[in-house]
Amino acid sequence: KEATEKFGAHHFLNTSDKDAALKSHKQYFDFILVTAPTAIDWSFYLSLLRSGGTLTIAGLPADINIKNGFDVIARQLRVTG
């Protein structure tokens, strides 16, 4: 958390409890930076982005599998890396 604030983040969310994170932050973020080098639940992180939001991948996961491409298009999300 301290590192994110040091880099200018306005908000930090611990996603270890996905249900609590979704309950309080569904479609909340404009920008999410993913640094995990392993496979993660991409749909979960996309659900935290508000329409027009950006998910940036800085780690290099072996598999990026976004199951609901329609949601990405309909909500005009951007996935960059």
Side-chain angles (χ1 to χ4, degrees), residues 15-72:
T15 58
S16 59
D17 183 349
K18 289 183 180 181
D19 291 334
L22 275 176
K23 185 175 182 179
S24 62
H25 290 84
K26 186 174 183 177
Q27 295 188 13
Y28 177 86
F29 293 101
D30 294 315
F31 175 81
I32 296 176
L33 174 63
V34 178
T35 59
T38 58
I40 62 172
D41 182 355
W42 296 103
S43 296
F44 167 73
Y45 286 95
L46 290 171
S47 70
L48 296 175
L49 284 174
R50 65 178 53 170
S51 292
T54 301
L55 176 75
T56 298
I57 305 163
L60 187 60
D63 183 27
I64 299 175
N65 185 2
I66 297 173
K67 296 176 184 171
N68 190 357
F70 179 78
D71 195 39
V72 173

